[in-house]
């Protein structure tokens, strides 16, 4: 297959030859007209495949309040009423994101002493079913806390043994009320199993910063530089900038990455400052049509737009940073390699009509083609059967 007259993100234009699942060659462009823009595959650095209610009749969202603890309780009720298995709704979501050009994702999967490993087993089925099309990295996620849900630490350990790739965590202070107790449990398993970590941290202010610093120090002590992420990290956006800058230096030094989904109601971390200080920042959908959020569709270009909107990005360079967060930066945090459009690399690309990355983020153009391993898997936003 030859993709004619395609501009790459770096502005160069070629006829791109795809052969045997690889990019075989960049040939001179067939004509002088501006053609399509070829993007590397989109990457969702934070999704919850087991939580989504996508494809089901609308489930009213009726959490009593907006605290994390209220949402956990509301979700228990939604979960109890669910009749369709998570593998089915999760598969619907994977099909939808695939059609929008996402070929790699990191999904957190709920684990607590009521669910046990049920959701993990359901999402392992989804991973197996779509294994030729999309990378699904699984985080064993203690949605109900670890200490306040006795038995969860053992379940998290078992989850890694059964195929989860990373260990999650949740507001050590805000939910478990014990910073060291929560982190002791996580890092004991991590050391035993040799996996990475991705911790949800909603706790804001100086208290949240103290938790981020503790996670970074433990990352250094465990020799896990480059394998740890903090998701949300609202605290970085809710303290004086000097405090956030000092924390950024520690994050850069210990290789701890920060995930943001462009939160609607909380402080967004100062993404440009973090990047300037050498911190890897990446993007994810987070909740999509579930007990936590009625919104979302898994389209990572739309997500990049929301991140840019919340971060008050205006310049092309800033929009390119938002694009990077849902492509190369997320791929780097997930350890997807090789990644990107290069001769000899995988023939994975997303083709759109746009003049620049900034225009892609602002306009979220229709995905003309999604190509995986040289094969067209979606056309004009619809999966090819
Ligand atoms: Zn999340």
């Amino acid at each position: 297959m030859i993709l004619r007259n395609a501009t790459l993100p770096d502005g160069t234009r070629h006829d791109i030859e795809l052969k045997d699942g690889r990019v075989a060659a960049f040939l001179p462009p067939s004509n002088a007209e501006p053609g399509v823009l070829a993007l590397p595959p989109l990457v969702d650095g934070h999704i919850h495949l087991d939580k989504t209610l996508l494809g089901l009749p609308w489930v009213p969202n009726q959490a009593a309040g907006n605290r994390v603890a209220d949402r956990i309780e509301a979700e228990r009720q939604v979960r109890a009423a669910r009749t369709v298995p998570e593998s089915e709704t999760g598969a619907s979501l994977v099909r939808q994101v695939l059609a929008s050009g996402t070929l790699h994702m990191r999904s957190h999967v709920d684990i607590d002493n009521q669910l046990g490993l049920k959701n993990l087993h359901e999402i392992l089925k989804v991973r197996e079913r779509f294994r030729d099309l999309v990378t699904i990295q699984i985080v064993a996620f203690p949605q109900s806390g670890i200490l306040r849900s006795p038995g969860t630490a053992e379940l998290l350990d078992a989850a890694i043994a059964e195929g989860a790739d990373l260990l999650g965590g949740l507001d050590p202070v805000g939910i478990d009320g014990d910073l060291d107790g929560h982190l002791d449990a996580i890092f004991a398993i991590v050391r035993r199993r040799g996996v990475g970590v991705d911790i949800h941290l909603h706790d804001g202010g100086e208290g949240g910063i103290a938790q981020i610093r503790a996670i970074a120090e433990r990352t250094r002590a465990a020799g896990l530089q480059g394998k740890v992420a903090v998701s949300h990290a609202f605290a970085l956006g809710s303290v004086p900038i000097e405090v956030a800058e000092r924390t950024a230096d520690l994050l850069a030094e210990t290789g701890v990455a920060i995930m943001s989904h462009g939160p609607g109601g909380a402080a967004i971390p100062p993404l440009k400052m973090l990047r300037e200080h050498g911190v890897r920042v990446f993007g994810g959908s987070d909740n999509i049509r579930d007990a936590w959020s009625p919104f979302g569709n898994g389209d990572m270009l739309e997500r990049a737009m929301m991140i840019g909107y919340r971060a008050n990005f205006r310049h092309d360079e800033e929009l390119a940073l938002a694009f990077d967060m849902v492509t190369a930066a997320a791929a780097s945090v997930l350890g997807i390699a090789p990644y990107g459009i290069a001769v000899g690399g995988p023939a994975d690309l997303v083709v759109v009509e746009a003049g620049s990355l900034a225009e892609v983020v602002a306009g979220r153009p229709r995905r003309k083609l999604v190509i995986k391993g040289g094969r067209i898997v979606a056309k004009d936003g619809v999966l090819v059967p």
Side-chain angles (χ1 to χ4, degrees):
M1 173 166 46
I2 293 189
L3 190 61
R4 298 210 180 271
N5 215 21
T7 302
L8 295 180
D10 67 7
T12 59
R13 196 144 45 82
H14 317 272
D15 279 8
I16 305 176
E17 187 189 2
L18 310 177
K19 207 165 140 189
D20 301 327
R22 306 257 138 208
V23 175
F26 289 154
L27 309 168
S30 2
N31 64 61
E33 296 299 307
V36 292
L37 189 59
L39 308 172
L42 303 175
V43 182
D44 194 330
H46 186 122
I47 192 168
H48 291 267
L49 290 177
D50 61 327
K51 289 181 186 287
T52 192
L53 302 164
L54 193 74
L56 303 181
W58 183 259
V59 177
N61 212 303
Q62 40 205 7
N66 270 333
R67 293 176 312 139
V68 174
D70 298 326
R71 294 268 155 205
I72 293 172
E73 201 37 53
E75 178 163 58
R76 281 175 189 271
Q77 290 164 29
V78 170
R79 224 155 65 179
R82 182 192 255 276
T83 53
V84 175
E86 289 78 4
S87 52
E88 254 179 62
T89 38
S92 299
L93 183 50
V94 169
R95 278 193 293 268
Q96 182 162 312
V97 304
L98 197 51
S100 71
T102 293
L103 297 184
H104 308 287
M105 66 182 85
R106 172 178 286 182
S107 177
H108 295 251
V109 172
D110 286 8
I111 288 170
D112 65 33
N113 61 10
Q114 294 183 7
L115 281 173
L117 300 181
K118 178 175 88 68
N119 286 19
L120 172 68
H121 294 151
E122 291 295 314
I123 300 309
L124 284 170
K125 284 186 217 166
V126 177
R127 175 159 83 179
E128 184 56 30
R129 183 164 164 194
F130 292 95
R131 64 177 308 148
D132 295 335
L133 293 169
V134 53
T135 315
I136 301 178
Q137 210 170 67
I138 296 179
V139 184
F141 173 46
Q143 174 68 81
S144 304
I146 300 177
L147 307 177
R148 76 199 268 279
S149 171
T152 298
E154 292 72 15
L155 287 165
L156 293 172
D157 187 62
I160 301 293
E162 293 197 27
D165 304 285
L166 295 100
L167 211 63
L170 172 67
D171 293 323
V173 173
I175 292 297
D176 269 347
D178 182 349
L179 175 58
D180 284 327
H182 190 90
L183 295 182
D184 282 348
I186 291 172
F187 281 84
I189 300 169
V190 163
R191 261 195 295 272
R192 195 159 55 240
R193 299 284 183 184
V195 292
V197 180
D198 191 329
I199 297 177
H200 279 70
L201 189 68
H202 309 88
D203 289 344
E206 297 281 353
I209 292 292
Q211 295 176 68
I212 293 173
R213 298 191 72 92
I215 292 166
E217 291 300 354
R218 282 174 182 261
T219 298
R220 176 169 23 221
L224 283 173
Q225 287 91 336
K227 293 182 76 179
V228 175
V230 175
S231 285
H232 301 311
F234 300 145
L236 288 166
S238 65
V239 291
I241 192 69
E242 309 78 50
V243 176
E245 280 173 341
R246 277 199 300 278
T247 312
D249 289 334
L250 178 63
L251 292 170
E253 207 182 297
T254 53
V256 174
I258 298 292
M259 191 296 301
S260 182
H261 73 297
I268 188 168
L271 303 171
K272 277 167 60 186
M273 180 280 279
L274 289 167
R275 172 67 67 102
E276 281 157 19
H277 281 245
V279 182
R280 288 190 297 174
V281 292
F282 66 112
S285 294
D286 203 18
N287 299 101
I288 297 170
R289 295 282 292 270
D290 59 23
W292 291 73
S293 173
F295 303 121
N297 59 11
D299 178 348
M300 293 313 290
L301 291 185
E302 192 163 307
R303 184 56 54 185
M305 183 276 282
M306 285 187 228
I307 291 169
Y309 183 82
R310 279 292 285 119
N312 199 23
F313 287 172
R314 290 158 201 271
H315 300 285
D316 281 21
E317 251 174 60
E318 297 172 324
L319 298 183
L321 165 58
F323 180 80
D324 186 62
M325 286 177 65
V326 302
T327 50
S332 152
V333 172
L334 269 60
I336 306 295
Y339 174 85
I341 306 171
V343 174
D348 297 350
L349 8 106
V350 178
V351 178
V352 297
E353 269 173 21
S356 69
L357 295 184
E359 187 183 349
V360 163
V361 172
R364 296 100 67 210
R366 188 157 43 101
R367 305 325 110 82
K368 284 175 74 78
L369 294 176
V370 177
I371 300 171
K372 165 73 187 175
R375 196 160 67 86
I376 294 173
V377 296
K379 215 170 182 173
D380 292 325
V382 179
L383 283 189
V384 172

